[in-house]
Amino acid sequence: MTSNQDDSSLHGVRYEPTDSSDPAKFTRWHLLTISLLILGYSGYYFCRSDFSVALPLLIRDLGQRGIPANVAQVRLGFIASAGVLAYALGKFVSGSLADLFGGRRNFLGGMAGAVLFTVLFALGGGFPIFTMAWLGNRLFQSLGWVGLVKVSSRWFSYSVYGTVMAVISLSYLFGDAVSRGIMALLLHYGMGWRGIFFTGAGLLAVLLIANVILLRETPQERGLSAPITNPLNLYADEKPAEKSNHGLMAILRPLLASRFFWMVCLLSLGTTLLRETFNLWTPTYFSQYVGLSNTAATSWSALFPFFGGVSVLLAGYLSDRLGLNGRSMVLFGGLSAGTVCLFLLAQAPGHANAWLPVGLVALVGFLLMGPYSYLAGAMSMDFGGEKGSATAAGIIDGVGYLAAVLSGDTMARITVRYGWRNAFVALAITCLLTALVALVLAISQRREAKVRLKSLAE
């Protein structure tokens, strides 16, 4: 079983432990840490969902300057894809930075950068500034989640990874939904896309200040015991000399040598592509194909992350109670049912009854987001423990967002050339292939876990 590094002297203050008898005990400091992480990462979406919400307004604004709507849609889709690529590449670096230098610095740095570049986007007036600002925004935002995972791995015991990360994952689901709801209200009262960006930057800046003051890297800084890490993590069998080596290669080597880790990366490819496509294009789909107004399209698009949040809570609770391969089985079940829903969306008529496509989009969010939340959350902590959790999350997320690059430019071209129905057929096939990977992982992981548990018992 791995032990945690004593970081109680961070920030120039040293505390004597007040309760070392129960590392899994949940205190008010644990509650404060969860609250800060949830609110802080939710705030990221004020500076991320704004682009999706503003897309119809940006397309119309550019059309008034003489740029055809189809051309504007493809160019903005390219900017979205470029931003996702910057986000993906940043993940590969930011995870290791968090493991080497601390998750708190990553988390706060990502918030500060997002505020700065969101303001720059709002001040811009053309594609060059839009592109540079969105690239900078997404690059800095890549610091956030891996920093959150690192802080979480140092605060909570492995027996509650699924539940804790499910609650924290509400930050990118309900945070997305709440931010879209606020933006829809602002649109209703006539605010333009620039006002949306300025408001998002201001709200995130307030949350940044709160986290700077209150968030701590480890429970030792609050006088608490270090938590217990997963005894099956990839670093559990290291010799004492290896455990003390926190260099980059010492962190990377066990991860890159694990076939299960690469299977999870494949799962991230498919699920992140699906998630980012819905996050980006749902308001436009509801507006163009279903026939809703811009305000209604923005409001109803919040159902995808909202029901995704309900799914995350349920999936996190189940995963801590379904045994060794519970997470991979939930992944397989959710992705299989999601495939059916996506094929049904491909058959939904346009400009008819809006309840059918809106309901199916909400159901896809429920089936997809719970399983998705495992990959760069509880599963990363299972793999990496206290030593390499952020690096695991960064690689898993980074690989996924490489595929998510297709959600912008490629999906824009598919919808313009082949229509929304064929776009959903492509997404359904992607979901089906991803479900098959989850099935292979569930079978293989169960066999391996039995062998390792027997070895540990001996």
PDB file of all heavy atoms in Angstrom, residues 101-129:
ATOM      1  N   PHE A 101       4.612  19.603  -9.082  1.00  0.00           N
ATOM      2  CA  PHE A 101       4.643  20.875  -8.353  1.00  0.00           C
ATOM      3  C   PHE A 101       3.382  21.178  -7.542  1.00  0.00           C
ATOM      4  O   PHE A 101       3.333  22.196  -6.860  1.00  0.00           O
ATOM      5  CB  PHE A 101       4.903  22.024  -9.326  1.00  0.00           C
ATOM      6  CG  PHE A 101       6.160  21.860 -10.132  1.00  0.00           C
ATOM      7  CD1 PHE A 101       6.103  21.570 -11.476  1.00  0.00           C
ATOM      8  CD2 PHE A 101       7.405  21.968  -9.520  1.00  0.00           C
ATOM      9  CE1 PHE A 101       7.275  21.407 -12.218  1.00  0.00           C
ATOM     10  CE2 PHE A 101       8.565  21.810 -10.246  1.00  0.00           C
ATOM     11  CZ  PHE A 101       8.513  21.527 -11.604  1.00  0.00           C
ATOM     12  N   GLY A 102       2.350  20.331  -7.636  1.00  0.00           N
ATOM     13  CA  GLY A 102       1.155  20.545  -6.833  1.00  0.00           C
ATOM     14  C   GLY A 102      -0.066  20.908  -7.654  1.00  0.00           C
ATOM     15  O   GLY A 102       0.015  21.664  -8.624  1.00  0.00           O
ATOM     16  N   GLY A 103      -1.213  20.363  -7.270  1.00  0.00           N
ATOM     17  CA  GLY A 103      -2.442  20.595  -8.015  1.00  0.00           C
ATOM     18  C   GLY A 103      -3.037  21.978  -7.810  1.00  0.00           C
ATOM     19  O   GLY A 103      -3.684  22.519  -8.697  1.00  0.00           O
ATOM     20  N   ARG A 104      -2.830  22.560  -6.644  1.00  0.00           N
ATOM     21  CA  ARG A 104      -3.411  23.869  -6.347  1.00  0.00           C
ATOM     22  C   ARG A 104      -2.910  24.932  -7.320  1.00  0.00           C
ATOM     23  O   ARG A 104      -3.677  25.772  -7.789  1.00  0.00           O
ATOM     24  CB  ARG A 104      -3.075  24.268  -4.906  1.00  0.00           C
ATOM     25  CG  ARG A 104      -3.646  25.606  -4.462  1.00  0.00           C
ATOM     26  CD  ARG A 104      -3.304  25.876  -3.003  1.00  0.00           C
ATOM     27  NE  ARG A 104      -3.849  27.155  -2.535  1.00  0.00           N
ATOM     28  CZ  ARG A 104      -3.248  28.320  -2.662  1.00  0.00           C
ATOM     29  NH1 ARG A 104      -2.033  28.389  -3.249  1.00  0.00           N
ATOM     30  NH2 ARG A 104      -3.806  29.425  -2.206  1.00  0.00           N
ATOM     31  N   ARG A 105      -1.618  24.915  -7.627  1.00  0.00           N
ATOM     32  CA  ARG A 105      -1.064  25.899  -8.562  1.00  0.00           C
ATOM     33  C   ARG A 105      -1.701  25.747  -9.946  1.00  0.00           C
ATOM     34  O   ARG A 105      -2.029  26.748 -10.603  1.00  0.00           O
ATOM     35  CB  ARG A 105       0.445  25.730  -8.659  1.00  0.00           C
ATOM     36  CG  ARG A 105       1.200  26.078  -7.383  1.00  0.00           C
ATOM     37  CD  ARG A 105       2.680  25.841  -7.548  1.00  0.00           C
ATOM     38  NE  ARG A 105       3.414  26.162  -6.327  1.00  0.00           N
ATOM     39  CZ  ARG A 105       4.730  26.001  -6.176  1.00  0.00           C
ATOM     40  NH1 ARG A 105       5.450  25.524  -7.176  1.00  0.00           N
ATOM     41  NH2 ARG A 105       5.315  26.313  -5.039  1.00  0.00           N
ATOM     42  N   ASN A 106      -1.864  24.511 -10.389  1.00  0.00           N
ATOM     43  CA  ASN A 106      -2.524  24.282 -11.669  1.00  0.00           C
ATOM     44  C   ASN A 106      -3.936  24.845 -11.675  1.00  0.00           C
ATOM     45  O   ASN A 106      -4.361  25.533 -12.611  1.00  0.00           O
ATOM     46  CB  ASN A 106      -2.583  22.781 -11.957  1.00  0.00           C
ATOM     47  CG  ASN A 106      -1.397  22.272 -12.742  1.00  0.00           C
ATOM     48  OD1 ASN A 106      -0.257  22.626 -12.449  1.00  0.00           O
ATOM     49  ND2 ASN A 106      -1.645  21.435 -13.724  1.00  0.00           N
ATOM     50  N   PHE A 107      -4.674  24.512 -10.629  1.00  0.00           N
ATOM     51  CA  PHE A 107      -6.085  24.880 -10.558  1.00  0.00           C
ATOM     52  C   PHE A 107      -6.280  26.393 -10.608  1.00  0.00           C
ATOM     53  O   PHE A 107      -7.107  26.908 -11.362  1.00  0.00           O
ATOM     54  CB  PHE A 107      -6.675  24.300  -9.273  1.00  0.00           C
ATOM     55  CG  PHE A 107      -8.166  24.324  -9.204  1.00  0.00           C
ATOM     56  CD1 PHE A 107      -8.924  23.621 -10.116  1.00  0.00           C
ATOM     57  CD2 PHE A 107      -8.823  25.045  -8.218  1.00  0.00           C
ATOM     58  CE1 PHE A 107     -10.314  23.628 -10.054  1.00  0.00           C
ATOM     59  CE2 PHE A 107     -10.205  25.069  -8.147  1.00  0.00           C
ATOM     60  CZ  PHE A 107     -10.952  24.357  -9.066  1.00  0.00           C
ATOM     61  N   LEU A 108      -5.486  27.111  -9.826  1.00  0.00           N
ATOM     62  CA  LEU A 108      -5.605  28.563  -9.788  1.00  0.00           C
ATOM     63  C   LEU A 108      -5.078  29.219 -11.059  1.00  0.00           C
ATOM     64  O   LEU A 108      -5.647  30.191 -11.561  1.00  0.00           O
ATOM     65  CB  LEU A 108      -4.866  29.114  -8.572  1.00  0.00           C
ATOM     66  CG  LEU A 108      -5.347  28.625  -7.195  1.00  0.00           C
ATOM     67  CD1 LEU A 108      -4.492  29.229  -6.082  1.00  0.00           C
ATOM     68  CD2 LEU A 108      -6.811  28.951  -6.988  1.00  0.00           C
ATOM     69  N   GLY A 109      -3.971  28.690 -11.595  1.00  0.00           N
ATOM     70  CA  GLY A 109      -3.408  29.246 -12.823  1.00  0.00           C
ATOM     71  C   GLY A 109      -4.350  29.124 -14.001  1.00  0.00           C
ATOM     72  O   GLY A 109      -4.452  30.037 -14.840  1.00  0.00           O
ATOM     73  N   GLY A 110      -5.072  27.984 -14.079  1.00  0.00           N
ATOM     74  CA  GLY A 110      -6.044  27.813 -15.158  1.00  0.00           C
ATOM     75  C   GLY A 110      -7.165  28.827 -15.093  1.00  0.00           C
ATOM     76  O   GLY A 110      -7.612  29.366 -16.115  1.00  0.00           O
ATOM     77  N   MET A 111      -7.630  29.124 -13.878  1.00  0.00           N
ATOM     78  CA  MET A 111      -8.705  30.109 -13.720  1.00  0.00           C
ATOM     79  C   MET A 111      -8.241  31.501 -14.143  1.00  0.00           C
ATOM     80  O   MET A 111      -8.962  32.223 -14.853  1.00  0.00           O
ATOM     81  CB  MET A 111      -9.164  30.131 -12.263  1.00  0.00           C
ATOM     82  CG  MET A 111      -9.765  28.829 -11.774  1.00  0.00           C
ATOM     83  SD  MET A 111     -10.092  28.803  -9.994  1.00  0.00           S
ATOM     84  CE  MET A 111     -11.622  29.704  -9.929  1.00  0.00           C
ATOM     85  N   ALA A 112      -7.039  31.869 -13.732  1.00  0.00           N
ATOM     86  CA  ALA A 112      -6.526  33.205 -14.059  1.00  0.00           C
ATOM     87  C   ALA A 112      -6.366  33.379 -15.566  1.00  0.00           C
ATOM     88  O   ALA A 112      -6.742  34.415 -16.135  1.00  0.00           O
ATOM     89  CB  ALA A 112      -5.194  33.438 -13.345  1.00  0.00           C
ATOM     90  N   GLY A 113      -5.810  32.364 -16.236  1.00  0.00           N
ATOM     91  CA  GLY A 113      -5.626  32.442 -17.687  1.00  0.00           C
ATOM     92  C   GLY A 113      -6.945  32.505 -18.431  1.00  0.00           C
ATOM     93  O   GLY A 113      -7.081  33.229 -19.426  1.00  0.00           O
ATOM     94  N   ALA A 114      -7.943  31.734 -17.967  1.00  0.00           N
ATOM     95  CA  ALA A 114      -9.256  31.746 -18.625  1.00  0.00           C
ATOM     96  C   ALA A 114      -9.900  33.125 -18.552  1.00  0.00           C
ATOM     97  O   ALA A 114     -10.503  33.595 -19.519  1.00  0.00           O
ATOM     98  CB  ALA A 114     -10.160  30.694 -17.986  1.00  0.00           C
ATOM     99  N   VAL A 115      -9.787  33.785 -17.405  1.00  0.00           N
ATOM    100  CA  VAL A 115     -10.342  35.132 -17.245  1.00  0.00           C
ATOM    101  C   VAL A 115      -9.687  36.094 -18.235  1.00  0.00           C
ATOM    102  O   VAL A 115     -10.366  36.864 -18.944  1.00  0.00           O
ATOM    103  CB  VAL A 115     -10.150  35.629 -15.801  1.00  0.00           C
ATOM    104  CG1 VAL A 115     -10.490  37.118 -15.697  1.00  0.00           C
ATOM    105  CG2 VAL A 115     -11.019  34.831 -14.844  1.00  0.00           C
ATOM    106  N   LEU A 116      -8.364  36.060 -18.291  1.00  0.00           N
ATOM    107  CA  LEU A 116      -7.620  36.982 -19.154  1.00  0.00           C
ATOM    108  C   LEU A 116      -7.997  36.825 -20.618  1.00  0.00           C
ATOM    109  O   LEU A 116      -8.304  37.811 -21.312  1.00  0.00           O
ATOM    110  CB  LEU A 116      -6.116  36.752 -18.961  1.00  0.00           C
ATOM    111  CG  LEU A 116      -5.184  37.532 -19.887  1.00  0.00           C
ATOM    112  CD1 LEU A 116      -5.312  39.024 -19.628  1.00  0.00           C
ATOM    113  CD2 LEU A 116      -3.736  37.079 -19.697  1.00  0.00           C
ATOM    114  N   PHE A 117      -8.013  35.591 -21.112  1.00  0.00           N
ATOM    115  CA  PHE A 117      -8.246  35.385 -22.544  1.00  0.00           C
ATOM    116  C   PHE A 117      -9.724  35.500 -22.917  1.00  0.00           C
ATOM    117  O   PHE A 117     -10.037  35.792 -24.089  1.00  0.00           O
ATOM    118  CB  PHE A 117      -7.680  34.022 -22.966  1.00  0.00           C
ATOM    119  CG  PHE A 117      -6.184  34.041 -23.139  1.00  0.00           C
ATOM    120  CD1 PHE A 117      -5.357  33.529 -22.160  1.00  0.00           C
ATOM    121  CD2 PHE A 117      -5.609  34.596 -24.267  1.00  0.00           C
ATOM    122  CE1 PHE A 117      -3.974  33.550 -22.303  1.00  0.00           C
ATOM    123  CE2 PHE A 117      -4.238  34.629 -24.430  1.00  0.00           C
ATOM    124  CZ  PHE A 117      -3.412  34.107 -23.447  1.00  0.00           C
ATOM    125  N   THR A 118     -10.622  35.309 -21.975  1.00  0.00           N
ATOM    126  CA  THR A 118     -12.038  35.552 -22.256  1.00  0.00           C
ATOM    127  C   THR A 118     -12.289  37.046 -22.484  1.00  0.00           C
ATOM    128  O   THR A 118     -13.034  37.438 -23.386  1.00  0.00           O
ATOM    129  CB  THR A 118     -12.912  35.040 -21.104  1.00  0.00           C
ATOM    130  OG1 THR A 118     -12.752  33.622 -20.990  1.00  0.00           O
ATOM    131  CG2 THR A 118     -14.376  35.354 -21.348  1.00  0.00           C
ATOM    132  N   VAL A 119     -11.647  37.869 -21.685  1.00  0.00           N
ATOM    133  CA  VAL A 119     -11.749  39.323 -21.884  1.00  0.00           C
ATOM    134  C   VAL A 119     -11.166  39.709 -23.236  1.00  0.00           C
ATOM    135  O   VAL A 119     -11.740  40.537 -23.971  1.00  0.00           O
ATOM    136  CB  VAL A 119     -11.029  40.067 -20.743  1.00  0.00           C
ATOM    137  CG1 VAL A 119     -10.923  41.560 -21.042  1.00  0.00           C
ATOM    138  CG2 VAL A 119     -11.756  39.851 -19.422  1.00  0.00           C
ATOM    139  N   LEU A 120     -10.037  39.108 -23.607  1.00  0.00           N
ATOM    140  CA  LEU A 120      -9.417  39.402 -24.899  1.00  0.00           C
ATOM    141  C   LEU A 120     -10.344  39.018 -26.051  1.00  0.00           C
ATOM    142  O   LEU A 120     -10.462  39.768 -27.041  1.00  0.00           O
ATOM    143  CB  LEU A 120      -8.090  38.646 -25.019  1.00  0.00           C
ATOM    144  CG  LEU A 120      -7.324  38.831 -26.332  1.00  0.00           C
ATOM    145  CD1 LEU A 120      -6.944  40.286 -26.538  1.00  0.00           C
ATOM    146  CD2 LEU A 120      -6.070  37.951 -26.347  1.00  0.00           C
ATOM    147  N   PHE A 121     -11.037  37.869 -25.942  1.00  0.00           N
ATOM    148  CA  PHE A 121     -11.978  37.447 -26.986  1.00  0.00           C
ATOM    149  C   PHE A 121     -13.093  38.487 -27.142  1.00  0.00           C
ATOM    150  O   PHE A 121     -13.458  38.863 -28.266  1.00  0.00           O
ATOM    151  CB  PHE A 121     -12.577  36.090 -26.628  1.00  0.00           C
ATOM    152  CG  PHE A 121     -13.320  35.422 -27.752  1.00  0.00           C
ATOM    153  CD1 PHE A 121     -12.758  34.372 -28.444  1.00  0.00           C
ATOM    154  CD2 PHE A 121     -14.597  35.840 -28.119  1.00  0.00           C
ATOM    155  CE1 PHE A 121     -13.448  33.744 -29.481  1.00  0.00           C
ATOM    156  CE2 PHE A 121     -15.298  35.234 -29.142  1.00  0.00           C
ATOM    157  CZ  PHE A 121     -14.716  34.173 -29.829  1.00  0.00           C
ATOM    158  N   ALA A 122     -13.613  38.960 -26.021  1.00  0.00           N
ATOM    159  CA  ALA A 122     -14.709  39.932 -26.078  1.00  0.00           C
ATOM    160  C   ALA A 122     -14.278  41.248 -26.695  1.00  0.00           C
ATOM    161  O   ALA A 122     -15.086  41.950 -27.315  1.00  0.00           O
ATOM    162  CB  ALA A 122     -15.259  40.170 -24.667  1.00  0.00           C
ATOM    163  N   LEU A 123     -13.000  41.584 -26.557  1.00  0.00           N
ATOM    164  CA  LEU A 123     -12.484  42.826 -27.136  1.00  0.00           C
ATOM    165  C   LEU A 123     -12.178  42.689 -28.623  1.00  0.00           C
ATOM    166  O   LEU A 123     -11.983  43.691 -29.305  1.00  0.00           O
ATOM    167  CB  LEU A 123     -11.212  43.261 -26.388  1.00  0.00           C
ATOM    168  CG  LEU A 123     -11.405  43.657 -24.918  1.00  0.00           C
ATOM    169  CD1 LEU A 123     -10.049  43.924 -24.271  1.00  0.00           C
ATOM    170  CD2 LEU A 123     -12.314  44.882 -24.795  1.00  0.00           C
ATOM    171  N   GLY A 124     -12.114  41.449 -29.119  1.00  0.00           N
ATOM    172  CA  GLY A 124     -11.755  41.212 -30.516  1.00  0.00           C
ATOM    173  C   GLY A 124     -12.899  41.496 -31.463  1.00  0.00           C
ATOM    174  O   GLY A 124     -14.062  41.561 -31.068  1.00  0.00           O
ATOM    175  N   GLY A 125     -12.559  41.618 -32.743  1.00  0.00           N
ATOM    176  CA  GLY A 125     -13.576  41.903 -33.742  1.00  0.00           C
ATOM    177  C   GLY A 125     -13.461  41.086 -35.001  1.00  0.00           C
ATOM    178  O   GLY A 125     -14.219  41.307 -35.947  1.00  0.00           O
ATOM    179  N   GLY A 126     -12.539  40.131 -35.034  1.00  0.00           N
ATOM    180  CA  GLY A 126     -12.353  39.331 -36.229  1.00  0.00           C
ATOM    181  C   GLY A 126     -11.731  37.987 -35.907  1.00  0.00           C
ATOM    182  O   GLY A 126     -11.375  37.697 -34.756  1.00  0.00           O
ATOM    183  N   PHE A 127     -11.578  37.161 -36.944  1.00  0.00           N
ATOM    184  CA  PHE A 127     -11.112  35.789 -36.747  1.00  0.00           C
ATOM    185  C   PHE A 127      -9.701  35.689 -36.159  1.00  0.00           C
ATOM    186  O   PHE A 127      -9.449  34.780 -35.355  1.00  0.00           O
ATOM    187  CB  PHE A 127     -11.192  35.017 -38.067  1.00  0.00           C
ATOM    188  CG  PHE A 127     -12.606  34.699 -38.480  1.00  0.00           C
ATOM    189  CD1 PHE A 127     -13.178  35.329 -39.579  1.00  0.00           C
ATOM    190  CD2 PHE A 127     -13.360  33.788 -37.763  1.00  0.00           C
ATOM    191  CE1 PHE A 127     -14.484  35.040 -39.952  1.00  0.00           C
ATOM    192  CE2 PHE A 127     -14.664  33.503 -38.123  1.00  0.00           C
ATOM    193  CZ  PHE A 127     -15.232  34.124 -39.228  1.00  0.00           C
ATOM    194  N   PRO A 128      -8.734  36.548 -36.498  1.00  0.00           N
ATOM    195  CA  PRO A 128      -7.403  36.400 -35.888  1.00  0.00           C
ATOM    196  C   PRO A 128      -7.420  36.525 -34.365  1.00  0.00           C
ATOM    197  O   PRO A 128      -6.845  35.685 -33.667  1.00  0.00           O
ATOM    198  CB  PRO A 128      -6.596  37.533 -36.547  1.00  0.00           C
ATOM    199  CG  PRO A 128      -7.271  37.771 -37.853  1.00  0.00           C
ATOM    200  CD  PRO A 128      -8.718  37.575 -37.583  1.00  0.00           C
ATOM    201  N   ILE A 129      -8.085  37.571 -33.839  1.00  0.00           N
ATOM    202  CA  ILE A 129      -8.153  37.747 -32.381  1.00  0.00           C
ATOM    203  C   ILE A 129      -9.002  36.651 -31.759  1.00  0.00           C
ATOM    204  O   ILE A 129      -8.661  36.109 -30.687  1.00  0.00           O
ATOM    205  CB  ILE A 129      -8.726  39.131 -32.023  1.00  0.00           C
ATOM    206  CG1 ILE A 129      -7.801  40.230 -32.538  1.00  0.00           C
ATOM    207  CG2 ILE A 129      -8.910  39.255 -30.513  1.00  0.00           C
ATOM    208  CD1 ILE A 129      -6.423  40.212 -31.902  1.00  0.00           C
TER     209      ILE A 129
END
